[in-house]
Amino acid sequence: MTAVSPTTRPKLTLSNPELERKVMECLSPLVLTEDQQQKVREVFLDEMRLGLAANPERTSSLLMENTFIPELPDGTENGEYLALDLGGTHFRVIYVRMKNGRFSEEVVDYFHVPSEKRLGPGQDLFEFLADCIAEFVQKRNLGGRNFQLGFTFSFPMTQKSLDVGILVSWTKSFNCPGVVGEDAVKMLNDAIHKRKDLDITVKAILNDTTGTLVMGAYMDKRCALAMILGTGCNGCYIEKVERIEKWLGKHLESEMIVDIEWGAFGDNGVLDFIKTDWDRAVDDQSLLVHSYTFEKYFAGKYLGDLYREILLTLTKKGLMCGGKIGNLHTHGAITTTSVSRIESDTFKGLLEETKMVLNDVKLNHDDDDLHIAQYVAGIISYRGITLVSLITGILLERMQRNHCTVAIDGSLFKHHPRFRPLMEKLISEFAPGRSFDLRLAHDGSGKGAALAAAIAERLEQKRSLTNSN
Ligand code: BGC
């Protein structure tokens, strides 16, 4: 086998041309045509318009939410902060010290969030978070003083201020009753105040994309767009307040970070024209059905399942592995990490990882089966990357910056070998002539939250100065 570049369109070549034709035909709904790409572009632009409008004619699937962060780090950040990061199966508590705008010390602890906390009553979840904070403070000898805290809460929220975040809906692997419609900061504060050993002031609640943008700006002042490509998927960008009709008269700031919540793009049906039966199957088996359409097309929580569903169809149709389905009916039997491993085989011209993945799900295979397995991993990844690159192109065009650094964090971007190179190529095609670079903003959701707490303090000081003058 010859090595293939990650930026080339996946190609299928089998020893049996008739089989090749049948497989390609079966999988063709996963290949986005030029027309479909154009339509995705138009629909996204329209959903953005509706999401920013004062009186939209219908509800947008994009939240386009205010983050209440109008400024980025300016180099004056000093002192100690705590940060929390909740969004996946690991909760993190982080301590940082900042000196003249730079991180001078950082300590992080991870706590596994068991499924009974992710799915049980909300109050239990927040009490669990407070327990973890207390354990961290005690273990690290940080007791006896007040901490300002930034809380990364990686779920869709409606913010009323920098320290009020009302949960709109759970996503990914969380579904705790009693939190939707409530302020996550209040719930955290209640849990903290129940204990007598914590002295913490929650200064800011933010989404992980917001943290990533703030962290991106810490690394490079030209950063104006950030995204998470991980278990979930979302983006935020800097918008001119004068273009946000729904806030007119409510904000004096000139710019604001807007949390798009693009994972929900298409929840109102506007993206159904690219939805396949496999996407429907993934959605049906997910924890929160009929939500987060765009995210389910390719994010890390779902890509492995999408892959498994497609192989299940191919085997059932007798187009692969002698028509035997092995363990393919088991939800979760193939992970997104396996899809990444298969893709790296493709780019190295190897078959070893691909064989291992198929063996793990008890599939017998010949060489044609392995090529089909690689082709499927290629086309679903290619489709996801095309979708996210289309949106990125639109945002770069909208912001019209001389140069825009795009801060990105998340396991898909870090570990899936096709993401970065293909995004670079496709974004250049979708936003021709725009200067940009993709920058890994490692730990935006942790350090970014600490930076947000520092920005919140600065904004408060500015406000009290203005009020006293
Ligand atoms: C959440 C977003 C978050 C994204 C990445 C999505 O499921 O709704 O708020 O930014 O995951 O973690």
Side-chain angles (χ1 to χ4, degrees):
M1 274 193 76
T2 42
V4 179
S5 155
T7 60
T8 49
R9 223 173 244 288
K11 251 190 93 198
L12 182 66
T13 314
L14 300 180
S15 63
N16 174 348
E18 182 52 15
L19 178 64
E20 183 182 305
R21 194 193 56 75
K22 284 188 179 155
V23 173
M24 297 273 286
E25 191 183 299
C26 173
L27 300 179
S28 63
L30 290 159
V31 179
L32 297 178
T33 64
E34 292 282 327
D35 281 354
Q36 284 176 319
Q37 292 180 30
Q38 179 55 25
K39 196 159 168 208
V40 170
R41 218 180 268 128
E42 284 162 16
V43 168
F44 187 75
L45 274 168
D46 205 39
E47 292 290 289
M48 268 184 85
R49 177 186 65 78
L50 293 166
L52 295 173
N55 298 303
E57 61 271 22
R58 59 174 174 81
T59 311
S60 171
S61 57
L62 302 176
L63 206 55
M64 306 302 289
E65 190 53 40
N66 192 351
T67 61
F68 287 87
I69 302 197
E71 292 179 16
L72 295 168
D74 66 358
T76 60
E77 296 76 22
N78 274 302
E80 299 176 299
Y81 296 93
L82 284 186
L84 308 180
D85 177 16
L86 181 74
T89 47
H90 283 93
F91 170 59
R92 291 190 308 149
V93 185
I94 301 137
Y95 161 88
V96 301
R97 183 190 288 277
M98 302 216 56
K99 215 168 161 206
N100 301 328
R102 307 312 293 173
F103 289 103
S104 58
E105 200 184 330
E106 188 195 343
V107 182
V108 187
D109 274 346
Y110 290 80
F111 299 86
H112 176 68
V113 190
S115 65
E116 67 267 22
K117 301 288 178 211
R118 283 183 278 118
L119 302 172
Q123 199 181 330
D124 292 1
L125 172 70
F126 285 93
E127 283 173 8
F128 169 77
L129 303 187
D131 291 346
C132 298
I133 306 171
E135 192 182 316
F136 178 84
V137 165
Q138 197 187 23
K139 180 170 148 204
R140 304 291 178 174
N141 284 324
L142 295 168
R145 54 204 201 257
N146 174 267
F147 276 106
Q148 314 281 303
L149 180 142
F151 179 19
T152 295
F153 185 62
S154 304
F155 301 97
M157 284 181 276
T158 304
Q159 289 200 235
K160 304 278 178 217
S161 64
L162 198 37
D163 60 357
V164 175
I166 314 290
L167 179 66
V168 174
S169 62
W170 286 114
T171 60
K172 297 174 283 198
S173 61
F174 282 72
N175 197 14
C176 304
V179 192
V180 171
E182 301 295 325
D183 174 15
V185 175
K186 179 171 182 306
M187 292 193 78
L188 178 65
N189 273 332
D190 287 350
I192 287 175
H193 295 150
K194 256 196 190 167
R195 314 181 53 103
K196 299 283 164 261
D197 53 353
L198 288 174
D199 182 7
I200 281 168
T201 315
V202 182
K203 280 295 194 202
I205 183 161
L206 59 151
N207 185 260
D208 49 357
T209 51
T210 312
T212 303
L213 205 162
V214 172
M215 187 62 196
Y218 167 88
M219 300 187 312
D220 179 346
K221 295 247 165 308
R222 300 167 306 168
C223 179
L225 171 59
M227 62 186 86
I228 300 289
L229 301 174
T231 310
C233 166
N234 184 19
C236 68
Y237 72 112
I238 300 181
E239 182 59 286
K240 291 195 173 70
V241 169
E242 66 192 29
R243 299 177 75 173
I244 310 178
E245 258 186 56
K246 63 183 180 185
W247 301 348
L248 284 188
K250 295 188 197 143
H251 286 278
L252 300 174
E253 301 87 353
S254 60
E255 292 186 325
M256 192 70 85
I257 300 180
V258 170
D259 174 12
I260 303 175
E261 277 298 330
W262 73 40
F265 178 31
D267 280 5
N268 51 4
V270 293
L271 270 190
D272 283 0
F273 66 96
I274 58 167
K275 198 177 258 177
T276 66
D277 287 344
W278 301 297
D279 296 308
R280 283 187 196 92
V282 169
D283 185 21
D284 287 346
Q285 294 163 46
S286 65
L287 178 64
L288 298 140
V289 286
H290 306 320
S291 72
Y292 274 64
T293 308
F294 192 71
E295 179 160 291
K296 287 176 187 169
Y297 284 150
F298 65 93
K301 176 127 189 72
Y302 309 100
L303 195 70
D305 254 327
L306 179 63
Y307 186 75
R308 184 188 53 75
E309 280 297 326
I310 298 167
L311 292 202
L312 188 57
T313 302
L314 291 173
T315 49
K316 277 186 175 167
K317 281 181 183 272
L319 297 174
M320 231 189 134
C321 303
K324 302 250 162 39
I325 65 168
N327 280 351
L328 284 175
H329 52 269
T330 311
H331 184 246
I334 301 188
T335 61
T336 297
T337 309
S338 301
V339 178
S340 297
R341 282 168 57 203
I342 295 175
E343 283 272 80
S344 34
D345 252 5
T346 306
F347 306 142
K348 290 182 196 144
L350 299 175
L351 292 169
E352 295 321 302
E353 296 286 333
T354 315
K355 281 183 194 163
M356 278 193 258
V357 173
L358 295 194
N359 288 341
D360 282 351
V361 282
K362 311 262 180 296
L363 290 174
N364 294 326
H365 43 78
D366 60 19
D367 272 6
D368 275 353
D369 295 325
L370 294 170
H371 292 139
I372 298 172
Q374 294 195 342
Y375 179 69
V376 175
I379 52 170
I380 58 173
S381 306
Y382 202 102
R383 182 183 72 155
I385 298 167
T386 305
L387 290 172
V388 80
S389 303
L390 281 166
I391 289 181
T392 309
I394 290 173
L395 293 165
L396 292 179
E397 296 285 10
R398 180 174 178 96
M399 288 187 292
Q400 295 278 315
R401 305 240 162 179
N402 289 336
H403 177 90
C404 180
T405 294
V406 182
I408 311 183
D409 201 1
S411 47
L412 260 189
F413 186 70
K414 280 195 270 202
H415 306 303
H416 189 307
R418 201 187 280 269
F419 264 76
R420 180 196 278 272
L422 186 58
M423 279 178 77
E424 277 165 355
K425 172 169 180 256
L426 293 182
I427 296 168
S428 312
E429 281 173 27
F430 297 150
R434 292 245 71 88
S435 166
F436 71 93
D437 66 300
L438 307 183
R439 191 99 186 247
L440 176 67
H442 186 62
D443 196 16
S445 46
K447 288 194 202 145
L451 285 167
I455 294 173
E457 263 191 310
R458 186 170 81 222
L459 292 171
E460 227 171 67
Q461 280 159 11
K462 273 192 190 166
R463 231 171 278 133
S464 61
L465 268 178
T466 323
N467 290 345
S468 63
N469 284 336

